Amino acid sequence: MENFTAYNPTRLHFGESIINKLGTTVKQYGNRVLLVYGKGSVKKYGYYSSVVEELEAAVLEIFEYSGIKPNPIIEDVEKATIIGKQNNVDVIVALGGGSVIDSAKIISLGIASNENPWDFMTWKLTPQKSIPLVTVLTLAATGTEMNAAAVVQNHSTGQKVGYVNPLMFPKDSFLDPSFTVTVPKNYTSYGIVDLIAHSLEAFFGQGEPSVIDQITIDIIKDAIQFGPLLMDDLTNVELRAKIMLDATLALNGLTSYGKKSGDWGVHGLGHELSLLFDTPHGASLSIVYPAWLKLQKNRIPKRIIKLGQGLFDVYTVDDTINQLLAFFKKIGSPVSLNEIDIPYDSRARIIEQYKKNQISGMHHSLSNNDHEKIVDFMFLNKQLF
Ligand code: NZQ
Ligand code: ZN
């Protein structure tokens, strides 16, 4: 087991109707609220009015920034920061999925400083303060509701950057599974893939504490058991709750206890696909993970087999990879670049992008040659069937 430090200050409020504590909770942090949300789903399905009602009942003054896109961009963060500063807001309420909450984390740094928030993400400057952030999650996937990470794209520099800073832990996060029943089929499956990928990134990190291996495998097993049931019954709140809790547990720090770090190479590879092709995050991971495992086949066979044994009761690397592929396919997430209409002539561009941003894992490093192999596997994954 590796030495580790565990810290997680986020207060989680989980369950149906839990939102009725939102107003009083936010009020602790001040009276002027910046409400941040996405492109419209929260208005369409009524979550926006529930949240506003709660905030108004607590006599809070609301300012808004909307339009955060999936795979969020730094321009929105910058614009929202200006609105927050102009109106002297005390606290941010982020209503949405990972893209909205991640943006809100960086906005919380921007509002508390006079610097360009991108300079924090690229480690040019170190933030000293943030303003309090309260989240209302509408999509189970990223774990951002209970971690200190944010991922934002900058097309002018050609980067999708993941940034972690304890200042960005949400103060409180409200998880009402009934707020996720309207997540469409595709994003529901991407969310399941994402939580599995977070568990796998931890599993393939440095350090193999037995109890955490077991917990991590159990989180994935829960998703493998209940994910397909949810895909056939999207409005089932109990199934939504199970997947929502799986997703939080997969990336709130727990699966990294006893480890030096997770690996995160697959996420790095996936982020570049999102940057180049606007591929949804989870979809990028169901394509990259099987390819990455194929690359690692002869390097870490025991570890892969331990996973296969725990998840699927299989005893070879190939069976493990094929079972995982079959699961991703079963829930409708793509497993090859061909499936998301990325033509083979993009091969060189993807490899170049990986090389340029030196994409690698924290535990399993990736060479330029590895990048080439992975890209070829990603074009070929489909042919495993
Ligand atoms: O924009 P709106 O209209 O709100 O629609 C969103 C969006 O189109 C929609 N949606 C969200 N909740 C809904 C809903 N539609 C109907 N009903 C609801 N209840 O879903 C679409 C996707 O939303 P998005 O927030 O982009 O999805 P997700 O939660 O998967 O977030 C993905 C982002 O998080 C980053 C990813 O890289 C990506 O940018 N990640 C953040 C991490 C973290 N902070 O720890 C870790 C992850 O590995 C990941 O990298
Ligand atoms: Zn992820």
Side-chain angles (χ1 to χ4, degrees), residues 37-42 45 47 67-72 95-102 105 137-145 147-153 160 163 178-184 187 190-191 194 198 251 264 267 271 274 280-282 285:
Y37 53 98
K39 290 230 167 256
S41 69
V42 296
Y45 298 114
Y47 312 127
I68 304 287
K69 70 175 275 302
N71 294 324
L95 170 63
S99 297
V100 168
I101 295 175
D102 283 8
K105 288 176 175 178
L137 185 68
T138 63
L139 196 162
T142 60
T144 187
E145 65 276 9
N147 71 36
V151 188
V152 174
Q153 295 186 175
K160 177 161 183 160
Y163 177 68
S178 73
F179 275 39
T180 66
V181 294
T182 51
V183 175
Y187 274 104
Y190 303 154
D194 196 20
H198 297 158
L251 197 52
W264 298 104
H267 267 69
H271 286 337
S274 296
H281 176 61
L285 300 171

Side-chain angles (χ1 to χ4, degrees), residues 17 84 164 322:
S17 305
V164 183
N322 281 329

Side-chain angles (χ1 to χ4, degrees), residues 48-211:
Y48 171 87
S49 44
S50 306
V51 164
V52 167
E53 216 170 274
E54 265 298 314
L55 298 178
E56 285 179 347
V59 202
L60 295 165
E61 198 173 351
I62 305 171
F63 305 89
E64 292 193 10
Y65 188 84
S66 64
I68 304 287
K69 70 175 275 302
N71 294 324
I73 51 173
I74 194 67
E75 286 83 351
D76 278 317
V77 170
E78 289 166 352
K79 287 183 203 160
T81 299
I82 292 170
I83 290 178
K85 284 168 92 80
Q86 277 172 349
N87 293 293
N88 212 7
V89 299
D90 305 305
V91 48
I92 301 175
V93 173
L95 170 63
S99 297
V100 168
I101 295 175
D102 283 8
S103 301
K105 288 176 175 178
I106 306 298
I107 296 164
S108 80
L109 299 179
I111 291 176
S113 81
N114 289 318
E115 310 295 346
N116 181 337
W118 183 249
D119 289 344
F120 298 137
M121 296 203 76
T122 50
W123 295 91
K124 207 169 138 193
L125 295 172
T126 307
Q128 305 300 325
K129 280 191 291 184
S130 57
I131 68 163
L133 168 65
V134 175
T135 82
V136 180
L137 185 68
T138 63
L139 196 162
T142 60
T144 187
E145 65 276 9
M146 202 177 179
N147 71 36
V151 188
V152 174
Q153 295 186 175
N154 184 334
H155 286 284
S156 64
T157 63
Q159 288 167 290
K160 177 161 183 160
V161 170
Y163 177 68
V164 183
N165 189 310
L167 289 171
M168 302 194 307
F169 275 112
K171 293 277 185 216
D172 293 80
S173 283
F174 288 80
L175 277 62
D176 180 340
S178 73
F179 275 39
T180 66
V181 294
T182 51
V183 175
K185 212 161 187 156
N186 57 354
Y187 274 104
T188 301
S189 79
Y190 303 154
I192 295 167
V193 172
D194 196 20
L195 84 87
I196 290 175
H198 297 158
S199 307
L200 293 177
E201 295 284 16
F203 185 81
F204 289 110
Q206 185 172 343
E208 300 179 5
S210 52
V211 66

Side-chain angles (χ1 to χ4, degrees), residues 6 9 35 72 91 95 148-149 217 222 278 285-286 303 309 326 349 354:
L35 177 60
V91 48
L95 170 63
I217 286 174
D222 207 59
D278 215 14
L285 300 171
S286 56
R303 194 77 182 141
Q309 219 174 321
R349 188 170 162 223
Y354 285 164

Side-chain angles (χ1 to χ4, degrees), residues 249-309:
L249 290 173
L251 197 52
N252 71 350
L254 173 67
T255 57
S256 292
Y257 285 12
K259 290 174 174 278
K260 194 162 177 199
S261 71
D263 184 65
W264 298 104
V266 170
H267 267 69
L269 297 160
H271 286 337
E272 301 301 318
L273 296 179
S274 296
L275 187 72
L276 291 177
F277 308 105
D278 215 14
T279 309
H281 176 61
S284 76
L285 300 171
S286 56
I287 294 169
V288 180
Y289 241 115
W292 183 88
L293 286 167
K294 283 174 85 178
L295 177 82
Q296 304 298 346
K297 178 175 163 160
N298 297 317
R299 300 179 187 174
I300 47 168
K302 275 197 191 148
R303 194 77 182 141
I304 297 175
I305 289 169
K306 177 164 188 189
L307 181 74
Q309 219 174 321

